[in-house]
Amino acid sequence: EVQLQQSGPELVKPGASVKISCKTSGYTFTEYTMHWVKQSHGKSLEWIGGINPNNGGTSYNQKFKGKATLTVDKSSSTAYMELRSLTSEDSAVYYCARGGDYGQAWFAYWGQGTLVTVSA
Amino acid sequence: DIVLTQSPATLSVTPGDSVSLSCRASQSISNNLHWYQQKSHESPRLLIKYASQSISGIPSRFSGSGSGTDFTLSINSVETEDFGMYFCQQSNSWPWTFGGGTKLEIK
């Protein structure tokens, strides 16, 4: 069974950074692109970017370049997303989502989401 | 970026009704359009990929159609478990984008 288990909720101060993890199981980690999606206010979804765990290659939504950095640890089949220079606009739920076969960008498997709250 | 416009924003229906949800793209995206359902406090769930391809484990009452710029998600005889938000997503051009969602609620 494919599972994506994300790290717990974060309360961070403005200007700080946070690193969210997404630990996977049930499939070969290096065979599927891992994507990250932001959901603000329980409504709209935004694609942040994706990473190829096999070679570390990344693609980012221009809107999130400089804000998000995607990495992986192949030894633990875990993907990470670091968000920096946080503001209130970054308060949201962040999901990791596994891409489809052969790099296709539909998302059949999602993590449970990580709530990031930016507040002093 | 490709903008996906979903309509209506809210759809109030009675269980047993059949409904159609619309997703319109700002430019042609062929059939690179996928549909998701999201219930309150849950992660999105993939319902349909490539406009009309069914997904294993998804009830057959869900179907998709369309190509180019106009797409439809149909639910034949809505059940109480179907209420929630529905999003479309395109994978034709970077960055991948989502529609604003349609809320399916009980009348």
Side-chain angles (χ1 to χ4, degrees), chain A residues 19-20 33-37 47-53 56-61 64 66-73 78-84 94-97:
Chain A
K19 193 170 186 177
I20 301 168
T33 299
M34 185 64 73
H35 300 265
W36 291 86
V37 175
W47 178 75
I48 297 170
I51 183 167
N52 180 335
T58 54
S59 58
Y60 291 95
N61 186 335
F64 292 95
K67 171 63 67 177
T69 301
L70 307 184
T71 56
V72 297
D73 176 359
T78 302
Y80 297 91
M81 178 176 66
E82 183 173 21
L83 301 169
R84 56 178 167 273
Y94 293 88
Y95 293 100
C96 58

mmCIF file of all heavy atoms in Angstrom, chain A residues 19-20 33-37 47-53 56-61 64 66-73 78-84 94-97:
data_model
loop_
_atom_site.group_PDB
_atom_site.id
_atom_site.type_symbol
_atom_site.label_atom_id
_atom_site.label_comp_id
_atom_site.label_asym_id
_atom_site.label_seq_id
_atom_site.Cartn_x
_atom_site.Cartn_y
_atom_site.Cartn_z
ATOM 1 N N LYS A 19 11.007 23.334 7.662
ATOM 2 C CA LYS A 19 11.258 22.210 6.755
ATOM 3 C C LYS A 19 10.251 21.116 7.052
ATOM 4 O O LYS A 19 10.170 20.625 8.182
ATOM 5 C CB LYS A 19 12.681 21.695 6.927
ATOM 6 C CG LYS A 19 13.144 20.750 5.834
ATOM 7 C CD LYS A 19 14.643 20.481 5.963
ATOM 8 C CE LYS A 19 15.180 19.664 4.806
ATOM 9 N NZ LYS A 19 16.641 19.453 4.891
ATOM 10 N N ILE A 20 9.479 20.757 6.045
ATOM 11 C CA ILE A 20 8.434 19.741 6.158
ATOM 12 C C ILE A 20 8.927 18.453 5.508
ATOM 13 O O ILE A 20 9.581 18.495 4.465
ATOM 14 C CB ILE A 20 7.157 20.210 5.421
ATOM 15 C CG1 ILE A 20 6.641 21.535 5.991
ATOM 16 C CG2 ILE A 20 6.074 19.159 5.487
ATOM 17 C CD1 ILE A 20 5.582 22.170 5.115
ATOM 18 N N THR A 33 8.073 11.063 -9.501
ATOM 19 C CA THR A 33 8.276 12.448 -9.088
ATOM 20 C C THR A 33 7.404 12.765 -7.878
ATOM 21 O O THR A 33 6.257 12.330 -7.798
ATOM 22 C CB THR A 33 7.919 13.399 -10.238
ATOM 23 O OG1 THR A 33 8.772 13.115 -11.349
ATOM 24 C CG2 THR A 33 8.090 14.862 -9.836
ATOM 25 N N MET A 34 7.976 13.508 -6.933
ATOM 26 C CA MET A 34 7.212 13.965 -5.784
ATOM 27 C C MET A 34 6.892 15.448 -5.971
ATOM 28 O O MET A 34 7.795 16.255 -6.258
ATOM 29 C CB MET A 34 7.987 13.766 -4.482
ATOM 30 C CG MET A 34 7.159 14.115 -3.254
ATOM 31 S SD MET A 34 5.726 13.037 -3.061
ATOM 32 C CE MET A 34 6.527 11.525 -2.521
ATOM 33 N N HIS A 35 5.648 15.780 -5.803
ATOM 34 C CA HIS A 35 5.181 17.145 -5.961
ATOM 35 C C HIS A 35 4.730 17.702 -4.613
ATOM 36 O O HIS A 35 4.405 16.951 -3.696
ATOM 37 C CB HIS A 35 3.998 17.193 -6.933
ATOM 38 C CG HIS A 35 4.320 16.693 -8.299
ATOM 39 N ND1 HIS A 35 4.699 17.530 -9.323
ATOM 40 C CD2 HIS A 35 4.337 15.426 -8.802
ATOM 41 C CE1 HIS A 35 4.920 16.812 -10.411
ATOM 42 N NE2 HIS A 35 4.714 15.533 -10.125
ATOM 43 N N TRP A 36 4.688 19.032 -4.548
ATOM 44 C CA TRP A 36 4.207 19.719 -3.354
ATOM 45 C C TRP A 36 3.136 20.726 -3.760
ATOM 46 O O TRP A 36 3.272 21.427 -4.774
ATOM 47 C CB TRP A 36 5.365 20.413 -2.633
ATOM 48 C CG TRP A 36 6.324 19.439 -2.017
ATOM 49 C CD1 TRP A 36 7.387 18.838 -2.632
ATOM 50 C CD2 TRP A 36 6.295 18.948 -0.668
ATOM 51 N NE1 TRP A 36 8.025 17.997 -1.738
ATOM 52 C CE2 TRP A 36 7.379 18.053 -0.532
ATOM 53 C CE3 TRP A 36 5.478 19.175 0.449
ATOM 54 C CZ2 TRP A 36 7.664 17.383 0.671
ATOM 55 C CZ3 TRP A 36 5.761 18.519 1.633
ATOM 56 C CH2 TRP A 36 6.841 17.643 1.736
ATOM 57 N N VAL A 37 2.079 20.769 -2.956
ATOM 58 C CA VAL A 37 0.916 21.597 -3.268
ATOM 59 C C VAL A 37 0.524 22.399 -2.027
ATOM 60 O O VAL A 37 0.529 21.868 -0.916
ATOM 61 C CB VAL A 37 -0.275 20.714 -3.717
ATOM 62 C CG1 VAL A 37 -1.527 21.549 -3.936
ATOM 63 C CG2 VAL A 37 0.088 19.944 -4.992
ATOM 64 N N TRP A 47 0.195 24.463 -7.185
ATOM 65 C CA TRP A 47 1.348 23.581 -7.350
ATOM 66 C C TRP A 47 2.619 24.370 -7.082
ATOM 67 O O TRP A 47 2.869 25.395 -7.721
ATOM 68 C CB TRP A 47 1.351 23.014 -8.766
ATOM 69 C CG TRP A 47 2.505 22.132 -9.077
ATOM 70 C CD1 TRP A 47 2.700 20.847 -8.663
ATOM 71 C CD2 TRP A 47 3.638 22.457 -9.887
ATOM 72 N NE1 TRP A 47 3.884 20.353 -9.173
ATOM 73 C CE2 TRP A 47 4.480 21.328 -9.929
ATOM 74 C CE3 TRP A 47 4.028 23.594 -10.599
ATOM 75 C CZ2 TRP A 47 5.675 21.303 -10.638
ATOM 76 C CZ3 TRP A 47 5.216 23.582 -11.310
ATOM 77 C CH2 TRP A 47 6.023 22.442 -11.320
ATOM 78 N N ILE A 48 3.415 23.880 -6.157
ATOM 79 C CA ILE A 48 4.654 24.554 -5.771
ATOM 80 C C ILE A 48 5.813 24.096 -6.652
ATOM 81 O O ILE A 48 6.596 24.908 -7.156
ATOM 82 C CB ILE A 48 4.989 24.283 -4.290
ATOM 83 C CG1 ILE A 48 3.901 24.859 -3.382
ATOM 84 C CG2 ILE A 48 6.370 24.828 -3.934
ATOM 85 C CD1 ILE A 48 4.020 24.428 -1.935
ATOM 86 N N GLY A 49 5.939 22.795 -6.826
ATOM 87 C CA GLY A 49 7.041 22.260 -7.595
ATOM 88 C C GLY A 49 7.103 20.756 -7.470
ATOM 89 O O GLY A 49 6.308 20.142 -6.773
ATOM 90 N N GLY A 50 8.056 20.168 -8.186
ATOM 91 C CA GLY A 50 8.239 18.731 -8.151
ATOM 92 C C GLY A 50 9.708 18.379 -8.173
ATOM 93 O O GLY A 50 10.548 19.168 -8.635
ATOM 94 N N ILE A 51 10.031 17.186 -7.651
ATOM 95 C CA ILE A 51 11.407 16.733 -7.622
ATOM 96 C C ILE A 51 11.483 15.289 -8.079
ATOM 97 O O ILE A 51 10.640 14.463 -7.696
ATOM 98 C CB ILE A 51 12.029 16.910 -6.218
ATOM 99 C CG1 ILE A 51 13.509 16.501 -6.207
ATOM 100 C CG2 ILE A 51 11.247 16.155 -5.152
ATOM 101 C CD1 ILE A 51 14.273 16.937 -4.963
ATOM 102 N N ASN A 52 12.466 15.003 -8.909
ATOM 103 C CA ASN A 52 12.748 13.641 -9.346
ATOM 104 C C ASN A 52 13.684 13.020 -8.314
ATOM 105 O O ASN A 52 14.848 13.407 -8.224
ATOM 106 C CB ASN A 52 13.408 13.679 -10.721
ATOM 107 C CG ASN A 52 13.733 12.293 -11.250
ATOM 108 O OD1 ASN A 52 13.909 11.345 -10.480
ATOM 109 N ND2 ASN A 52 13.809 12.172 -12.551
ATOM 110 N N PRO A 53 13.207 12.065 -7.514
ATOM 111 C CA PRO A 53 14.049 11.520 -6.445
ATOM 112 C C PRO A 53 15.254 10.752 -6.969
ATOM 113 O O PRO A 53 16.226 10.544 -6.235
ATOM 114 C CB PRO A 53 13.106 10.585 -5.682
ATOM 115 C CG PRO A 53 11.739 11.059 -6.014
ATOM 116 C CD PRO A 53 11.839 11.526 -7.442
ATOM 117 N N GLY A 56 17.457 14.062 -8.304
ATOM 118 C CA GLY A 56 17.349 15.324 -7.584
ATOM 119 C C GLY A 56 16.919 16.495 -8.444
ATOM 120 O O GLY A 56 16.869 17.633 -7.968
ATOM 121 N N GLY A 57 16.606 16.240 -9.704
ATOM 122 C CA GLY A 57 16.175 17.317 -10.576
ATOM 123 C C GLY A 57 14.856 17.919 -10.114
ATOM 124 O O GLY A 57 13.964 17.205 -9.684
ATOM 125 N N THR A 58 14.766 19.251 -10.185
ATOM 126 C CA THR A 58 13.584 19.945 -9.685
ATOM 127 C C THR A 58 12.958 20.835 -10.744
ATOM 128 O O THR A 58 13.622 21.297 -11.681
ATOM 129 C CB THR A 58 13.932 20.817 -8.468
ATOM 130 O OG1 THR A 58 15.012 21.695 -8.816
ATOM 131 C CG2 THR A 58 14.324 19.982 -7.265
ATOM 132 N N SER A 59 11.671 21.070 -10.588
ATOM 133 C CA SER A 59 10.964 22.079 -11.360
ATOM 134 C C SER A 59 10.070 22.830 -10.390
ATOM 135 O O SER A 59 9.458 22.219 -9.520
ATOM 136 C CB SER A 59 10.131 21.450 -12.479
ATOM 137 O OG SER A 59 9.198 20.528 -11.960
ATOM 138 N N TYR A 60 10.061 24.152 -10.529
ATOM 139 C CA TYR A 60 9.319 24.999 -9.602
ATOM 140 C C TYR A 60 8.335 25.886 -10.346
ATOM 141 O O TYR A 60 8.599 26.360 -11.452
ATOM 142 C CB TYR A 60 10.278 25.917 -8.819
ATOM 143 C CG TYR A 60 11.170 25.215 -7.828
ATOM 144 C CD1 TYR A 60 12.462 24.822 -8.184
ATOM 145 C CD2 TYR A 60 10.739 24.960 -6.522
ATOM 146 C CE1 TYR A 60 13.294 24.191 -7.269
ATOM 147 C CE2 TYR A 60 11.559 24.336 -5.605
ATOM 148 C CZ TYR A 60 12.841 23.947 -5.991
ATOM 149 O OH TYR A 60 13.665 23.322 -5.079
ATOM 150 N N ASN A 61 7.219 26.116 -9.702
ATOM 151 C CA ASN A 61 6.334 27.195 -10.105
ATOM 152 C C ASN A 61 7.104 28.497 -9.859
ATOM 153 O O ASN A 61 7.637 28.711 -8.762
ATOM 154 C CB ASN A 61 5.053 27.136 -9.260
ATOM 155 C CG ASN A 61 4.002 28.137 -9.692
ATOM 156 O OD1 ASN A 61 4.297 29.166 -10.275
ATOM 157 N ND2 ASN A 61 2.769 27.844 -9.347
ATOM 158 N N PHE A 64 6.960 30.360 -6.617
ATOM 159 C CA PHE A 64 7.548 29.840 -5.389
ATOM 160 C C PHE A 64 9.073 29.730 -5.456
ATOM 161 O O PHE A 64 9.695 29.247 -4.505
ATOM 162 C CB PHE A 64 6.931 28.479 -5.051
ATOM 163 C CG PHE A 64 5.481 28.574 -4.663
ATOM 164 C CD1 PHE A 64 4.498 28.364 -5.611
ATOM 165 C CD2 PHE A 64 5.099 28.882 -3.375
ATOM 166 C CE1 PHE A 64 3.150 28.474 -5.286
ATOM 167 C CE2 PHE A 64 3.757 28.988 -3.016
ATOM 168 C CZ PHE A 64 2.782 28.779 -3.980
ATOM 169 N N GLY A 66 12.622 30.756 -4.826
ATOM 170 C CA GLY A 66 13.138 31.605 -3.775
ATOM 171 C C GLY A 66 12.395 31.430 -2.472
ATOM 172 O O GLY A 66 12.881 31.831 -1.407
ATOM 173 N N LYS A 67 11.222 30.859 -2.521
ATOM 174 C CA LYS A 67 10.435 30.605 -1.307
ATOM 175 C C LYS A 67 10.592 29.149 -0.863
ATOM 176 O O LYS A 67 10.761 28.855 0.310
ATOM 177 C CB LYS A 67 8.958 30.895 -1.571
ATOM 178 C CG LYS A 67 7.988 30.489 -0.485
ATOM 179 C CD LYS A 67 8.245 31.245 0.824
ATOM 180 C CE LYS A 67 7.953 32.710 0.679
ATOM 181 N NZ LYS A 67 8.136 33.423 1.969
ATOM 182 N N ALA A 68 10.496 28.217 -1.809
ATOM 183 C CA ALA A 68 10.523 26.791 -1.495
ATOM 184 C C ALA A 68 11.758 26.120 -2.082
ATOM 185 O O ALA A 68 12.192 26.466 -3.186
ATOM 186 C CB ALA A 68 9.276 26.105 -2.052
ATOM 187 N N THR A 69 12.306 25.152 -1.345
ATOM 188 C CA THR A 69 13.415 24.327 -1.832
ATOM 189 C C THR A 69 13.058 22.871 -1.577
ATOM 190 O O THR A 69 12.746 22.489 -0.443
ATOM 191 C CB THR A 69 14.726 24.674 -1.127
ATOM 192 O OG1 THR A 69 15.045 26.041 -1.348
ATOM 193 C CG2 THR A 69 15.855 23.797 -1.664
ATOM 194 N N LEU A 70 13.098 22.076 -2.644
ATOM 195 C CA LEU A 70 12.739 20.664 -2.549
ATOM 196 C C LEU A 70 13.990 19.800 -2.553
ATOM 197 O O LEU A 70 14.893 20.019 -3.368
ATOM 198 C CB LEU A 70 11.844 20.277 -3.730
ATOM 199 C CG LEU A 70 10.586 21.133 -3.962
ATOM 200 C CD1 LEU A 70 9.777 20.548 -5.117
ATOM 201 C CD2 LEU A 70 9.753 21.225 -2.701
ATOM 202 N N THR A 71 14.016 18.830 -1.660
ATOM 203 C CA THR A 71 15.122 17.888 -1.586
ATOM 204 C C THR A 71 14.573 16.509 -1.259
ATOM 205 O O THR A 71 13.388 16.362 -0.919
ATOM 206 C CB THR A 71 16.138 18.288 -0.493
ATOM 207 O OG1 THR A 71 15.451 18.394 0.763
ATOM 208 C CG2 THR A 71 16.822 19.608 -0.824
ATOM 209 N N VAL A 72 15.435 15.493 -1.389
ATOM 210 C CA VAL A 72 15.050 14.133 -1.010
ATOM 211 C C VAL A 72 16.203 13.463 -0.287
ATOM 212 O O VAL A 72 17.365 13.867 -0.439
ATOM 213 C CB VAL A 72 14.658 13.271 -2.243
ATOM 214 C CG1 VAL A 72 13.435 13.829 -2.939
ATOM 215 C CG2 VAL A 72 15.838 13.135 -3.210
ATOM 216 N N ASP A 73 15.863 12.431 0.463
ATOM 217 C CA ASP A 73 16.849 11.534 1.055
ATOM 218 C C ASP A 73 16.482 10.139 0.582
ATOM 219 O O ASP A 73 15.506 9.547 1.077
ATOM 220 C CB ASP A 73 16.805 11.630 2.577
ATOM 221 C CG ASP A 73 17.757 10.648 3.255
ATOM 222 O OD1 ASP A 73 18.445 9.881 2.550
ATOM 223 O OD2 ASP A 73 17.823 10.640 4.492
ATOM 224 N N THR A 78 12.387 9.655 1.752
ATOM 225 C CA THR A 78 11.708 10.826 2.307
ATOM 226 C C THR A 78 11.971 12.051 1.433
ATOM 227 O O THR A 78 13.098 12.288 1.016
ATOM 228 C CB THR A 78 12.172 11.097 3.745
ATOM 229 O OG1 THR A 78 11.911 9.949 4.553
ATOM 230 C CG2 THR A 78 11.434 12.302 4.335
ATOM 231 N N ALA A 79 10.911 12.807 1.188
ATOM 232 C CA ALA A 79 11.026 14.077 0.490
ATOM 233 C C ALA A 79 10.858 15.221 1.479
ATOM 234 O O ALA A 79 10.158 15.077 2.494
ATOM 235 C CB ALA A 79 9.961 14.177 -0.598
ATOM 236 N N TYR A 80 11.516 16.319 1.171
ATOM 237 C CA TYR A 80 11.471 17.483 2.053
ATOM 238 C C TYR A 80 11.151 18.737 1.248
ATOM 239 O O TYR A 80 11.521 18.861 0.086
ATOM 240 C CB TYR A 80 12.821 17.694 2.741
ATOM 241 C CG TYR A 80 13.249 16.571 3.645
ATOM 242 C CD1 TYR A 80 14.031 15.521 3.152
ATOM 243 C CD2 TYR A 80 12.886 16.548 4.990
ATOM 244 C CE1 TYR A 80 14.431 14.482 3.976
ATOM 245 C CE2 TYR A 80 13.288 15.519 5.827
ATOM 246 C CZ TYR A 80 14.056 14.486 5.305
ATOM 247 O OH TYR A 80 14.455 13.457 6.130
ATOM 248 N N MET A 81 10.496 19.670 1.948
ATOM 249 C CA MET A 81 10.304 20.999 1.392
ATOM 250 C C MET A 81 10.644 22.020 2.475
ATOM 251 O O MET A 81 10.086 21.973 3.579
ATOM 252 C CB MET A 81 8.868 21.242 0.925
ATOM 253 C CG MET A 81 8.662 22.649 0.378
ATOM 254 S SD MET A 81 7.027 22.930 -0.287
ATOM 255 C CE MET A 81 6.015 22.812 1.173
ATOM 256 N N GLU A 82 11.565 22.907 2.149
ATOM 257 C CA GLU A 82 11.905 23.984 3.062
ATOM 258 C C GLU A 82 11.303 25.278 2.532
ATOM 259 O O GLU A 82 11.436 25.605 1.357
ATOM 260 C CB GLU A 82 13.414 24.146 3.212
ATOM 261 C CG GLU A 82 13.798 25.233 4.221
ATOM 262 C CD GLU A 82 15.295 25.265 4.492
ATOM 263 O OE1 GLU A 82 16.082 24.772 3.662
ATOM 264 O OE2 GLU A 82 15.676 25.806 5.551
ATOM 265 N N LEU A 83 10.665 25.999 3.424
ATOM 266 C CA LEU A 83 10.087 27.305 3.104
ATOM 267 C C LEU A 83 10.827 28.355 3.927
ATOM 268 O O LEU A 83 11.040 28.161 5.132
ATOM 269 C CB LEU A 83 8.595 27.346 3.454
ATOM 270 C CG LEU A 83 7.709 26.315 2.744
ATOM 271 C CD1 LEU A 83 6.325 26.275 3.369
ATOM 272 C CD2 LEU A 83 7.613 26.632 1.259
ATOM 273 N N ARG A 84 11.251 29.440 3.279
ATOM 274 C CA ARG A 84 12.024 30.431 4.016
ATOM 275 C C ARG A 84 11.397 31.818 3.938
ATOM 276 O O ARG A 84 10.477 32.048 3.153
ATOM 277 C CB ARG A 84 13.451 30.464 3.501
ATOM 278 C CG ARG A 84 13.586 30.734 2.022
ATOM 279 C CD ARG A 84 15.064 30.780 1.662
ATOM 280 N NE ARG A 84 15.275 30.723 0.237
ATOM 281 C CZ ARG A 84 15.369 29.614 -0.472
ATOM 282 N NH1 ARG A 84 15.268 28.448 0.122
ATOM 283 N NH2 ARG A 84 15.573 29.658 -1.765
ATOM 284 N N TYR A 94 0.162 22.351 3.534
ATOM 285 C CA TYR A 94 1.051 21.921 2.460
ATOM 286 C C TYR A 94 0.976 20.410 2.323
ATOM 287 O O TYR A 94 1.082 19.686 3.312
ATOM 288 C CB TYR A 94 2.484 22.355 2.742
ATOM 289 C CG TYR A 94 2.642 23.863 2.697
ATOM 290 C CD1 TYR A 94 2.427 24.638 3.830
ATOM 291 C CD2 TYR A 94 2.990 24.504 1.504
ATOM 292 C CE1 TYR A 94 2.544 26.027 3.779
ATOM 293 C CE2 TYR A 94 3.115 25.880 1.447
ATOM 294 C CZ TYR A 94 2.885 26.637 2.587
ATOM 295 O OH TYR A 94 2.998 27.998 2.526
ATOM 296 N N TYR A 95 0.769 19.967 1.079
ATOM 297 C CA TYR A 95 0.668 18.539 0.798
ATOM 298 C C TYR A 95 1.844 18.084 -0.068
ATOM 299 O O TYR A 95 2.251 18.799 -0.985
ATOM 300 C CB TYR A 95 -0.604 18.233 -0.006
ATOM 301 C CG TYR A 95 -1.901 18.448 0.729
ATOM 302 C CD1 TYR A 95 -2.644 19.610 0.535
ATOM 303 C CD2 TYR A 95 -2.422 17.475 1.580
ATOM 304 C CE1 TYR A 95 -3.860 19.807 1.179
ATOM 305 C CE2 TYR A 95 -3.627 17.665 2.232
ATOM 306 C CZ TYR A 95 -4.341 18.830 2.022
ATOM 307 O OH TYR A 95 -5.541 19.020 2.659
ATOM 308 N N CYS A 96 2.323 16.879 0.191
ATOM 309 C CA CYS A 96 3.140 16.190 -0.804
ATOM 310 C C CYS A 96 2.190 15.272 -1.574
ATOM 311 O O CYS A 96 1.204 14.787 -1.028
ATOM 312 C CB CYS A 96 4.291 15.418 -0.176
ATOM 313 S SG CYS A 96 3.834 14.165 1.057
ATOM 314 N N ALA A 97 2.489 15.073 -2.846
ATOM 315 C CA ALA A 97 1.625 14.256 -3.699
ATOM 316 C C ALA A 97 2.496 13.544 -4.730
ATOM 317 O O ALA A 97 3.311 14.195 -5.401
ATOM 318 C CB ALA A 97 0.582 15.123 -4.394
#
